[in-house]
Amino acid sequence: MVKQSDRAPLLDWEEIPPPDPNQAAQPALHPPEDAPAEKSSKPAGRRTQSGTAAGTGWNTSTVDTTISCSPTKSGTAVVVSGNGNSGRPLTQICGLGWHRPEPLGSDRNLPFPGLSVRDQWEEKDQIVSVFVVTFDTRSGNMVEWCLPHDINLDGVEFKSIASGSHRINSDFIYFRKGRYFGLACFANMPVDSELERGARMKSVGILSPSYTLLYRYMHFLENQVRLQLKSPGQYSPLEAFYEDKKAVLPPAGNGLVTACPTWSVTSINRCMHPDMKITHPAGCMSQFIQFFGEQIMVLWKFALLRKRILIFSPPPVGVVCYRVYCCCCLANVSLPGIGVSVPELRPFFYINIADITTLEKEMSYVACTTEKIFEDKKALYDVYIDNQNVKTHRSHLQPLLRVNAADKEKYRKLSEQRQMLLYSQEVDGDCTTNEEDLFILFFMELNNRIFQTLSDIAGSNDPTLTAEHVRAMGLDPQGDRSFLVDLLEVYGLDITLVIDNLCCH
């Protein structure tokens, strides 16, 4: 059973059940443990305070709330009071650990081994399909079994077993299929069979209208793919799982993945699970930033400009799906009204050549692939990332690849804050916040400062952006000039940029 400590608590909405009068009251908060797990099926749960968020995997519900936020501590606390459709109180905690009473019972008594009590209790009826994909030595990847039987799963067989997966033992893959999101767990088992060429490869996966809920079923899918390898054709647990979790969906007109509208600080009408919330080991964001180093500031600019970002890596692809998530996190803005008119930074997760037609229509996305052929498809992307090599073939974006003095200073401050956090955790035992919170809030506050400054200037009598303004935003007047020009254009801000007698409107 996955430990709760692996779950990042930042801005994570939870529905709290009414207290049981027969049980003693339980504490409202429970600090997360420090020890990370090697592999977790818990989420990077969080939400922005308002405005534009990076994701599209949202559920809708109606709730009237009031929010109080105290930014005086490194771990900001946000408490939301009100009643949702269920009539149960809602609580939101940002930067703090949390605890909620669980229903009585034990993991061994659960109908679906691998799913915790709390995960089976929450948010039911969200699974659109469950399926098994296998590799056949004569036919290649194919859907072996699925529910419902009449659902269109064309292409899922190639998303669920990534190209090159025959070289690895196991993997997990996030992907998009039309207006749905998918999670599949892959496993490769040696067998003494000439017909199977010595290896049996399968994936067990699910589709949902929202990627925010997929993390809950990671462990269940891992167990099921192992079962399918050892006992092919044993679908009873998957059938029972689907019957219990199947979604009741409204009719969809255009088949597109829709986004949640901007929400205000004082009233939340829909969006119970906005933004990205996928499973990852504790420290995913920390590893992401350490992997790219100062280049994280380059990725931040491309994400904020809503560019098409494609990440290449050989399998396993699961960790690369985390990088898609992290890239989207860099662009969060919590100011109301900011980014309403810009393309949404869509997380596509894993893609293959079957997605080319879809990508040709996208104006902004972050995706990953194991297929090197995409590098030659330059019309499909603006930014290409291979290992730690970030490059672009767009000439006007070339200056953004250079890490300038202001970028180095921001990265230094980020690293300094991280060291202070680690010291506080080690010496003082302070567990009120974690690295995930720190990194996410760092970039959100950076984005908020930039857009607040630009908004103030755009609404003033003299909408002129000077070098002093640029420095106040934490940018380099010369090194970030092309970035600012693009930023003003993308977000439709009517501001004149004047730096060292160089004028751009």
Side-chain angles (χ1 to χ4, degrees):
M1 186 170 177
V2 180
K3 294 183 180 180
Q4 180 171 302
S5 60
D6 296 334
R7 181 170 183 154
L10 178 63
L11 298 172
D12 181 22
W13 287 93
E14 296 297 341
E15 188 175 22
I16 309 300
D20 187 339
N22 298 321
Q23 295 183 2
Q26 300 203 28
L29 295 177
H30 177 69
E33 302 172 15
D34 290 335
E38 291 182 4
K39 188 171 184 179
S40 165
S41 59
K42 287 294 180 184
R46 53 176 200 78
R47 92 172 278 163
T48 55
Q49 296 174 23
S50 63
T52 303
T56 59
W58 300 350
N59 292 333
T60 59
S61 182
T62 301
V63 57
D64 295 322
T65 65
T66 57
I67 298 180
S68 59
C69 182
S70 173
T72 57
K73 297 182 179 179
S74 59
T76 304
V78 182
V79 179
V80 181
S81 60
N83 290 308
N85 293 338
S86 64
R88 295 169 178 152
L90 299 168
T91 301
Q92 180 187 42
I93 301 298
C94 161
L96 296 172
W98 47 264
H99 175 81
R100 61 171 290 173
E102 293 186 353
L104 295 176
S106 62
D107 193 35
R108 65 176 178 272
N109 295 324
L110 295 176
F112 308 111
L115 290 183
S116 68
V117 174
R118 62 171 293 156
D119 286 348
Q120 294 197 33
W121 180 84
E122 295 176 323
E123 297 289 343
K124 294 182 182 296
D125 304 326
Q126 291 295 329
I127 302 302
V128 177
S129 176
V130 58
F131 55 86
V132 177
V133 169
T134 188
F135 174 76
D136 183 85
T137 55
R138 289 166 295 184
S139 305
N141 294 8
M142 57 184 292
V143 176
E144 170 187 314
W145 174 91
C146 69
L147 280 178
H149 297 299
D150 59 349
I151 190 170
N152 179 6
L153 294 180
D154 291 347
V156 165
E157 66 270 28
F158 299 109
K159 292 176 179 291
S160 301
I161 301 181
S163 177
S165 293
H166 61 280
R167 302 186 186 95
I168 60 176
N169 294 325
S170 63
D171 199 2
F172 62 94
I173 307 168
Y174 283 87
F175 60 89
R176 258 188 61 182
K177 163 62 177 171
R179 71 181 193 274
Y180 301 132
F181 291 90
L183 170 62
C185 287
F186 165 83
N188 181 356
M189 183 179 76
V191 292
D192 186 14
S193 168
E194 292 185 6
L195 181 63
E196 296 178 280
R197 297 179 185 173
R200 182 176 299 156
M201 292 178 283
K202 292 180 183 288
S203 271
V204 176
I206 54 177
L207 292 180
S208 171
S210 166
Y211 55 69
T212 64
L213 304 175
L214 293 175
Y215 72 91
R216 296 177 173 172
Y217 311 113
M218 171 80 80
H219 192 44
F220 174 74
L221 296 175
E222 289 175 335
N223 286 338
Q224 289 303 304
V225 73
R226 286 192 290 267
L227 174 63
Q228 289 299 317
L229 288 176
K230 295 177 182 178
S231 304
Q234 296 295 320
Y235 306 127
S236 297
L238 295 174
E239 291 171 345
F241 171 82
Y242 176 71
E243 285 303 315
D244 184 71
K245 305 290 183 183
K246 62 183 178 182
V248 179
L249 300 174
N254 53 17
L256 296 177
V257 178
T258 56
C260 177
T262 300
W263 55 285
S264 67
V265 176
T266 57
S267 176
I268 304 171
N269 296 319
R270 291 178 280 275
C271 298
M272 289 304 295
H273 286 273
D275 210 340
M276 183 74 74
K277 182 178 173 185
I278 66 172
T279 172
H280 69 75
C284 166
M285 185 71 73
S286 174
Q287 294 172 18
F288 172 74
I289 295 181
Q290 290 183 64
F291 180 77
F292 285 106
E294 292 179 343
Q295 283 196 108
I296 195 69
M297 308 313 301
V298 173
L299 298 180
W300 161 67
K301 294 175 188 178
F302 286 134
L304 211 56
L305 291 175
R306 298 297 195 264
K307 297 305 176 184
R308 299 172 299 170
I309 302 173
L310 182 58
I311 306 173
F312 167 80
S313 177
V317 75
V319 67
V320 194
C321 289
Y322 297 156
R323 293 174 189 167
V324 172
Y325 154 66
C326 293
C327 276
C328 290
C329 289
L330 299 176
N332 281 340
V333 181
S334 66
L335 298 178
I338 296 297
V340 174
S341 61
V342 302
E344 186 180 8
L345 193 64
R346 293 173 177 264
F348 268 69
F349 300 110
Y350 176 73
I351 60 170
N352 55 32
I353 55 174
D355 295 300
I356 288 179
T357 302
T358 301
L359 293 178
E360 287 174 341
K361 304 172 185 177
E362 292 296 324
M363 299 179 64
S364 176
Y365 69 82
V366 185
C368 60
T369 187
T370 60
E371 300 183 16
K372 194 70 173 177
I373 191 174
F374 272 97
E375 186 173 8
D376 298 327
K377 307 288 185 181
K378 290 182 168 56
L380 298 177
Y381 63 85
D382 302 308
V383 180
Y384 187 84
I385 304 171
D386 184 348
N387 197 23
Q388 293 163 307
N389 182 24
V390 182
K391 57 185 180 181
T392 177
H393 58 280
R394 309 287 182 189
S395 58
H396 71 283
L397 297 178
Q398 293 288 340
L400 274 66
L401 294 174
R402 292 189 291 269
V403 178
N404 58 47
D407 294 331
K408 293 177 182 292
E409 177 62 16
K410 286 191 288 288
Y411 184 76
R412 185 193 65 79
K413 289 181 178 179
L414 179 59
S415 301
E416 188 178 78
Q417 289 184 24
R418 176 176 177 268
Q419 291 303 319
M420 291 175 63
L421 172 63
L422 296 177
Y423 178 82
S424 176
Q425 290 176 338
E426 181 177 353
V427 176
D428 302 329
D430 179 10
C431 299
T432 58
T433 190
N434 56 40
E435 290 185 71
E436 308 301 308
D437 302 358
L438 185 150
F439 289 134
I440 292 168
L441 289 174
F442 179 90
F443 285 100
M444 183 185 294
E445 291 172 2
L446 176 60
N447 297 339
N448 286 350
R449 177 172 51 174
I450 290 174
F451 284 108
Q452 186 63 64
T453 301
L454 294 178
S455 297
D456 292 344
I457 294 173
S460 67
N461 294 328
D462 181 18
T464 302
L465 183 64
T466 66
E468 288 71 23
H469 291 133
V470 175
R471 293 188 186 95
M473 292 188 291
L475 300 175
D476 187 313
Q478 292 298 328
D480 286 319
R481 187 176 184 278
S482 61
F483 167 63
L484 282 167
V485 170
D486 287 346
L487 197 69
L488 296 177
E489 180 180 355
V490 169
Y491 288 84
L493 296 169
D494 190 13
I495 295 175
T496 300
L497 176 62
V498 179
I499 299 175
D500 292 344
N501 297 323
L502 298 176
C503 178
C504 178
H505 187 73

